[in-house]
Amino acid sequence: MAGTTAQRLTLEAARRELGLRREEFALGIEHGVIRTCWSGGELYVRAGEVVRWRTDLGELAELTRLVHATEAAGLAGISRHRFDQLARAGAIRPVRSYTNRYHAEVWQYSAADARRLPERRPELLGARLPGPCLAELASGADRRAEGHRSRLRTQALLMLRDPWTKAAAWSYWLDSAQPPLDRGQLSQAEAVHLARRAAEEGLTEVLGSHADPVTSEEQAEAVRQFKAALRRARRSRPAPELVAPSEAAERLGCAVEKIPDEYRDRGVPVDLIEQSVADDLATVPAPARVAAVRKQRDAQRRKGERQAAREAEQAAKRLREGREHAAAARARAHVPERTADPRVTFHLGPTNSGKTHDAIALLAARAEAGRTGVYAAPLRMLAFEVYERLRTRLGAERVGLHTGEERLNTDAPVLCCTAEVAPTAGDFLVVDEAHWLADEDRGHAWTRLLLSGAHTDVHVCAAPEAEDLLRKLFAPGADITVVRHTRHGTLSRMREFQAATLPPASAVVAFSRKAVLALHRELLEAGRSATVLYGAMPPAARREQIRRLSAGEVDVIVTTDVIGHGVNLPLRTVAFAETGKYDGRSRRELLIWEAAQIAGRAGRRGHDAGEGLVGAYRSRLPGLTAGARLLDRAVQAANGARPGDLRVTTARLRPTWTDLGRPEPGEIPHALAGWTAAARKAAQERSWLSPMPTAEILAKLQTARQTAGAPLDIDARWPRDGHTVWRLITLPIDADRPAYPAVCQAVLHGAALHHLIRPRARIERMALPQAEEYAATMRDVGTAVLAFGRECGGLSAEEVVACEQTAAERINQLVAASRPLATYGSCVSCDKPCAPWYTHCDACHTARFSCYDDEFDW
């Protein structure tokens, strides 16, 4: 901190550290919000005071904020007209004034003053103004400038400590306003001492002319204040006695002519003579000389303080860098290793090849023989589907479910779960969709399972392209059996489908919620029974739509690529309305393996769907196009006639809190940096291993830091320990989700989350977007409640699940009504088809905005 020592800061340095304007900083001192201290005749702010406010700059800004009259009136709870009346009558004093571009004087007020006005002066807020205020207004007086000068004088006096200096300040203001007045029995010694204090303290520069009394009322008040200040000064100590110039010259051993003119007429203060004798001076110094020497000494002292501050800052920086380096050095890139080599079976094949079916059948058979087992899936929908299947075969008491949002009978001998929460020990493990190893965000979960699991039998289901990487995850010479599966049934490439030609049990695929809802509307208007399926729907609503298609209640399901990862539907046809998608960074064409994964949902084994048909869907909506060449290659890849372009070459690794060296919250960013460097070094020995990006974790940490009010400092104090913060920032909740800041408030500060619980009647009236958003919020809150229990907002898992279920029921109700769910895909002006992401068709847009084209010279 510039301008500081280890204990205190100069006022200017403190103001810069706190980021306040000069008026705001002076207001903070005046209100006592910013506490000050005196040292060596100088006013300072303690360093601890600055640190205290830096942790809560928002509150400090609110306490020192300047507002205009309109906002001040709102804070006081009165009309703008009443506030102007009070300001003109002098009942509230402005803090600052300036001239705007219209050459009008604009006043600003203290927000804290306005907020406290109803408590301090309730009589001013009544139906009728008090008599004195009415009299002031009737006289036409405007006391705002007078109140502003009074406030400036008050703030100036706060900077002066010595009673005689304060009296000298009032004397200065009186002399500047009018010729010297009778000071009321002011002795010669006192007059000399006042003039001396004014000169030595440089009051001319300190006080300036902006606070000088102007009106007769101000001058009369200044006289009263001067007399009161003089009485206080006399009580503190008497003014030094005066010695005749000749006697002073004799005591100093100099000529009378050497005595400064300021003292030659009235006499020389005796303390000044004594100080000059002690300092072995030839004469007494003039007040101007004393002021110059003091100014020089103050400059040297401040220079020393600045030098000490720089040295202290450098030392603190070295200490901080040392701690940061130590936090980074403690991190270790721990690569999990198996304690024993299991029997490993790879089930490799394209979609609809039965690899997962066979692995689940083996798991069920082992469970019937009394062994324990785990099924790990990438999606909770797939985990739930397998859970239902095994529960039917083995019995509900022997099968459990564990996902980020659901926990059912988790102590059961057979557990279906998502990969992130799968246990690493047991008898039999089935890892599904293992090519997710390469996923940047979630691949670490599959790496953990395959590298560190202690299962006896491991069955890995994956695309054939993942075989090389999977072999590298197991020790050389491990007992690995490869079962190669071929697709059951051949996909047939159809040219295109239309709404009327889609056979029953068809899926129309698009890649945005707007496009899905627009296509759903188009199919309903064409007389087809249809439903929708996309990522924004809660799991219960998704399961209901799958059930409706499976039960034959609808012919067509309009969906996104959510069906591409293991969601089994009795689909006869997959029709692509588009083959381009936005991947979070840019819009791009689907990769061949992505299109093949989706196309392979047609003709699923075990669903009596028959031969699978794949083609383009020709919609009346402009902007939706499907690439014929891409679909040809996707069908070939799904049938095994050509290789896909899936690249599974790198397994992802994510740190644990222990890997990071058990850091405190402020150390986490440096520990992550150290871990990333260590992981990259470890990856040099294992070309197949790569550290996961930490940007998402750091984004969540930033949100948590803002919630905690902690500064960007390794030594910052957080309300919770490092392990709790780590658990918070690794929750499976996106950083940009609206629920995440509320969860941070609940975990870090104990804030309640009951305000998020909506009455059932209100949920049942929600429109589709609101119901989807509310269900997603409840799902995020439910994830946090499962992780932290009731310490997360005081909610129970049952309350949250009930709200999400009600929202899902509302979504199901809206979807089952067989009415369009949105107006996407239709021009709001002419109702003709338009691209789902626009509100107007090209013709209507041109008609509305072409009139502006002439204004630009293209």
Side-chain angles (χ1 to χ4, degrees):
M1 299 179 192
T4 74
T5 66
Q7 294 82 25
R8 62 180 186 267
L9 296 84
T10 62
L11 297 184
E12 181 61 22
R15 183 189 68 79
R16 289 197 302 267
E17 287 288 335
L18 295 174
L20 298 177
R21 294 185 298 181
R22 298 186 189 278
E23 297 88 350
E24 295 170 337
F25 185 73
L27 190 63
I29 295 177
E30 178 190 345
H31 284 168
V33 172
I34 301 173
R35 297 191 292 265
T36 57
C37 63
W38 290 92
S39 178
E42 192 80 15
L43 193 61
Y44 289 93
V45 176
R46 296 188 188 278
E49 179 76 358
V50 173
V51 172
R52 177 173 76 93
W53 280 120
R54 282 179 65 186
T55 61
D56 200 350
L57 290 176
E59 181 182 354
L60 177 62
E62 184 61 29
L63 292 172
T64 60
R65 188 163 60 99
L66 301 185
V67 297
H68 292 86
T70 301
E71 186 175 355
L75 293 174
I78 57 179
S79 67
R80 168 64 188 275
H81 176 68
R82 169 58 65 88
F83 186 86
D84 285 341
Q85 286 182 316
L86 295 177
R88 290 176 182 275
I92 184 168
R93 299 184 301 173
V95 178
R96 178 175 178 260
S97 71
Y98 64 92
T99 303
N100 64 13
R101 60 179 178 174
Y102 302 109
H103 306 288
E105 188 171 25
V106 179
W107 297 97
Q108 286 185 301
Y109 303 84
S110 164
D113 283 353
R115 196 176 291 107
R116 297 169 186 165
L117 185 63
E119 299 177 8
R120 293 183 175 181
R121 303 288 300 277
E123 71 278 4
L124 299 178
L125 277 64
R128 182 176 175 82
L129 283 173
C133 290
L134 290 174
E136 289 286 345
L137 294 173
S139 67
D142 188 345
R143 302 287 185 186
R144 288 179 294 184
E146 182 180 330
H148 181 220
R149 290 191 294 270
S150 174
R151 182 155 232 154
L152 292 176
R153 289 193 292 270
T154 300
Q155 293 173 352
L157 290 171
L158 289 173
M159 308 299 166
L160 306 176
R161 188 182 192 185
D162 181 63
W164 282 101
T165 305
K166 291 185 178 182
W170 283 109
S171 177
Y172 167 82
W173 280 320
L174 284 174
D175 289 343
S176 64
Q178 59 185 12
L181 298 174
D182 178 15
R183 296 293 191 251
Q185 306 301 321
L186 189 65
S187 69
Q188 187 79 355
E190 291 172 336
V192 170
H193 192 56
L194 288 174
R196 175 186 169 192
R197 297 306 301 163
E200 290 181 352
E201 296 293 337
L203 292 184
T204 303
E205 298 178 6
V206 173
L207 303 178
S209 61
H210 47 273
D212 293 346
V214 174
T215 67
S216 58
E217 291 85 352
E218 287 182 275
Q219 294 172 11
E221 176 63 19
V223 170
R224 289 192 294 272
Q225 291 291 346
F226 168 72
K227 291 179 178 179
L230 184 60
R231 287 194 298 271
R232 288 191 290 269
R234 287 168 174 169
R235 286 197 298 268
S236 67
R237 65 181 184 278
E241 297 180 359
L242 298 180
V243 176
S246 57
E247 181 181 349
E250 182 179 349
R251 292 175 63 176
L252 291 169
C254 66
V256 175
E257 290 76 10
K258 295 291 186 178
I259 302 296
D261 294 341
E262 290 87 343
Y263 302 126
R264 200 179 302 170
D265 295 336
R266 297 183 177 182
V268 184
V270 65
D271 66 320
L272 193 58
I273 297 174
E274 294 171 353
Q275 186 63 43
S276 297
V277 172
D279 294 341
D280 196 22
L281 299 179
T283 184
V284 295
R289 175 60 181 165
V290 173
V293 170
R294 177 174 293 176
K295 188 174 182 179
Q296 183 180 7
R297 289 176 180 172
D298 288 344
Q300 292 175 346
R301 175 170 53 79
R302 291 193 178 98
K303 182 178 179 181
E305 289 176 347
R306 287 194 295 270
Q307 179 63 28
R310 284 193 293 269
E311 293 175 357
E313 178 63 24
Q314 291 171 358
K317 182 179 179 181
R318 288 193 295 270
L319 180 62
R320 187 167 59 250
E321 290 175 346
R323 285 205 58 193
E324 293 171 355
H325 179 74
R330 288 199 304 271
R332 295 288 183 269
H334 172 66
V335 180
E337 295 182 359
R338 286 184 171 272
T339 57
D341 291 332
R343 291 185 296 274
V344 182
T345 302
F346 292 164
H347 297 267
L348 306 178
T351 60
N352 197 25
S353 59
K355 54 185 183 293
T356 301
H357 177 273
D358 292 352
I360 296 301
L362 290 171
L363 172 61
R366 298 296 194 278
E368 289 173 338
R371 298 180 63 184
T372 62
V374 174
Y375 169 77
L379 301 173
R380 52 182 167 266
M381 286 182 62
L382 190 53
F384 185 83
E385 180 180 326
V386 175
Y387 164 74
E388 290 286 334
R389 175 178 167 185
L390 291 176
R391 190 176 64 163
T392 301
R393 176 170 175 176
L394 302 176
E397 71 283 353
R398 300 188 60 191
V399 184
L401 177 68
H402 187 186
T403 69
E405 296 80 18
E406 298 166 295
R407 292 182 184 177
L408 300 173
N409 195 22
T410 54
D411 295 327
V414 177
L415 186 64
C416 300
C417 52
T418 48
E420 282 81 356
V421 296
T424 56
D427 291 337
F428 199 93
L429 171 67
V430 175
V431 181
D432 205 358
E433 305 282 351
H435 43 267
W436 277 62
L437 272 166
D439 185 75
E440 283 191 353
D441 297 323
R442 299 184 60 200
H444 62 89
W446 282 261
T447 305
R448 176 184 64 89
L449 270 180
L450 296 174
L451 282 182
S452 65
H455 300 86
T456 306
D457 287 329
V458 177
H459 287 250
V460 183
C461 306
E465 292 85 351
E467 180 178 356
D468 290 342
L469 176 59
L470 290 172
R471 287 184 176 276
K472 293 174 182 177
L473 267 64
F474 295 93
D479 182 10
I480 299 178
T481 302
V482 180
V483 179
R484 303 191 185 278
H485 298 254
T486 57
R487 180 176 174 86
H488 296 285
T490 303
L491 289 179
S492 298
R493 174 73 165 91
M494 306 298 290
R495 185 170 180 273
E496 67 177 21
F497 299 95
Q498 298 180 14
T501 62
L502 277 172
S506 295
V508 175
V509 182
F511 296 96
S512 71
R513 178 180 177 275
K514 288 183 177 181
V516 166
L517 296 180
L519 290 167
H520 176 254
R521 175 182 179 178
E522 177 181 284
L523 288 167
L524 292 181
E525 291 174 348
R528 302 303 301 269
S529 60
T531 188
V532 294
L533 183 69
Y534 47 86
M537 300 178 75
R542 294 192 216 176
R543 290 195 287 264
E544 172 61 15
Q545 307 321 310
I546 293 173
R547 186 203 64 77
R548 293 180 68 207
L549 183 73
S550 302
E553 295 178 12
V554 292
D555 288 341
V556 183
I557 187 167
V558 188
T559 179
T560 61
D561 51 353
V562 71
I563 67 166
H565 298 288
V567 177
N568 294 317
L569 290 167
L571 292 176
R572 165 76 169 163
T573 305
V574 172
F576 287 81
E578 59 179 341
T579 53
K581 66 178 290 187
Y582 180 75
D583 61 4
R585 290 182 289 269
S586 61
R587 187 167 179 83
R588 62 171 176 82
E589 193 77 358
L590 292 176
L591 300 175
I592 296 175
W593 75 267
E594 291 174 323
Q597 190 86 2
I598 299 170
R601 300 301 109 188
R604 297 293 292 175
R605 175 193 183 191
H607 285 279
D608 194 26
E611 182 185 15
L613 306 177
V614 178
Y617 175 77
R618 189 171 70 181
S619 170
R620 64 183 179 84
L621 303 176
L624 299 179
T625 57
R629 187 177 181 184
L630 173 63
L631 294 184
D632 291 340
R633 293 178 175 180
V635 170
Q636 294 170 8
N639 285 329
R642 62 165 294 156
D645 54 358
L646 176 63
R647 298 290 180 265
V648 186
T649 58
T650 305
R652 297 292 175 177
L653 188 66
R654 190 179 84 166
T656 64
W657 187 61
T658 303
D659 293 341
L660 297 180
R662 302 177 182 272
E664 291 301 317
E667 297 174 334
I668 289 177
H670 313 288
L672 281 172
W675 176 85
T676 301
R680 287 173 178 167
K681 186 175 180 180
Q684 293 175 358
E685 303 172 2
R686 304 171 181 84
S687 59
W688 47 269
L689 189 65
S690 175
M692 66 168 284
T694 59
E696 178 69 13
I697 296 177
L698 291 174
K700 292 182 183 178
L701 180 64
Q702 177 64 15
T703 301
R705 173 182 285 112
Q706 293 172 351
T707 302
L712 289 168
D713 196 322
I714 192 171
D715 296 317
R717 290 186 178 182
W718 287 62
R720 299 296 298 270
D721 62 276
H723 189 213
T724 301
V725 173
W726 176 253
R727 291 167 58 204
L728 178 63
I729 63 178
T730 53
L731 282 175
I733 305 175
D734 292 341
D736 56 356
R737 288 289 307 154
Y740 189 67
V743 169
C744 291
Q745 283 281 0
V747 174
L748 297 177
H749 294 296
L753 294 179
H754 293 92
H755 64 282
L756 296 178
I757 303 298
R758 302 283 185 264
R760 183 180 183 89
R762 180 174 175 184
I763 300 174
E764 291 174 344
R765 294 193 301 269
M766 288 181 175
L768 182 65
Q770 288 75 34
E772 291 171 351
E773 181 60 32
Y774 185 67
T777 297
M778 288 295 99
R779 192 158 59 250
D780 292 341
V781 173
T783 300
V785 170
L786 284 177
F788 291 96
R790 280 196 175 269
E791 67 175 308
C792 181
L795 297 177
S796 67
E798 292 74 17
E799 291 178 279
V800 178
V801 169
C803 288
E804 183 185 353
Q805 182 62 34
T806 304
E809 292 172 0
R810 173 58 176 167
I811 294 170
N812 291 334
Q813 178 189 10
L814 293 170
V815 174
S818 298
R819 290 194 297 268
L821 299 171
T823 59
Y824 304 126
S826 178
C827 177
V828 298
S829 294
C830 66
D831 202 36
K832 291 182 180 179
C834 70
W837 41 87
Y838 294 134
T839 57
H840 293 81
C841 65
D842 290 343
C844 292
H845 178 83
T846 302
R848 293 181 69 205
F849 298 105
S850 61
C851 59
Y852 298 106
D853 294 343
D854 296 337
E855 299 179 10
F856 301 95
D857 184 9
W858 300 104

